[in-house]
């Protein structure tokens, strides 16, 4: 595999695009050697699902699209960023027992940390932001 692999998709900020983002990520991971259905692939799909859902729901129509960028560096590290054009950064909400939402970033942080990774935010050129995860790449190189 090359030292650097990358893939990107831009989707409309609609609920249906969350499933499209998951399928896209699964297909790219499979191309890069991480088959769909493995525990690692499922964790990445869940992370992307949570981040894409946030990009759709919490931008309140102010971001017509969101982008999923994927980077694999030297078969060592996978980075995935979900970018939208809404200027407000995500914040963790109190997880009240009655609350049906607000736990997505907690889930993402936990899944990333459990795999030795991390979550962070960067500003986007259009005034929005990118929510990133970075995970160790554990797929053996053939």
């Amino acid at each position: 595999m090359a030292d650097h692999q990358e893939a990107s998709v831009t989707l409309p900020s609609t609920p249906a695009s969350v499933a499209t983002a998951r399928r896209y990520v699964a297909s790219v991971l499979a191309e890069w050697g991480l088959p769909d259905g493995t525990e690692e692939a499922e964790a990445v799909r869940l992370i992307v699902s949570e981040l894409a859902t946030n990009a759709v729901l919490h931008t309140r129509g102010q971001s017509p699209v969101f982008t999923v960028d994927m980077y694999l560096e030297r078969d060592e590290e996978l980075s995935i960023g979900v970018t939208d054009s809404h200027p407000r950064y995500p914040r963790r909400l109190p997880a009240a027992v009655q609350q049906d939402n607000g736990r997505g970033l907690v889930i993402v942080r936990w899944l990333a940390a459990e795999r030795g990774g991390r979550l962070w935010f960067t500003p986007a050129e259009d005034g929005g932001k990118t929510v990133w995860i970075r995970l160790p790449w554990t797929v053996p190189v053939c």
Side-chain angles (χ1 to χ4, degrees):
M1 184 178 287
D3 281 350
H4 177 82
Q5 299 282 334
E6 58 183 73
S8 181
V9 65
T10 299
L11 300 166
S13 288
T14 63
S17 292
V18 174
T20 304
R22 277 194 311 264
R23 285 191 302 273
Y24 176 78
V25 166
S27 70
V28 171
L29 291 174
E31 285 176 27
W32 291 351
L34 184 62
D36 199 22
T38 64
E39 185 177 328
E40 291 301 314
E42 293 303 315
V44 173
R45 282 179 44 160
L46 178 55
I47 288 169
V48 169
S49 183
E50 291 293 337
L51 297 181
T53 297
N54 284 351
V56 170
L57 295 180
H58 299 296
T59 60
R60 293 177 172 73
Q62 293 181 25
S63 182
V65 298
F66 68 94
T67 300
V68 179
D69 293 303
M70 301 175 68
Y71 303 94
L72 180 59
E73 296 290 338
R74 296 177 302 282
D75 296 323
E76 295 175 4
E77 196 169 71
L78 174 68
S79 296
I80 299 176
V82 177
T83 304
D84 65 61
S85 58
H86 192 280
R88 190 184 68 217
Y89 278 47
R91 58 187 169 88
R92 191 179 339 184
L93 301 175
V97 173
Q98 299 87 357
Q99 198 171 1
D100 289 335
N101 59 20
R103 296 183 190 95
L105 282 183
V106 172
I107 292 167
V108 170
R109 281 185 197 277
W110 181 81
L111 285 169
E114 182 180 57
R115 285 156 180 76
R118 67 184 192 102
L119 168 90
W120 78 100
F121 313 104
T122 59
E125 292 178 8
D126 64 0
K129 79 282 190 185
T130 303
V131 182
W132 291 97
I133 62 152
R134 181 172 293 147
L135 301 168
W137 185 253
T138 58
V139 178
V141 177
C142 300

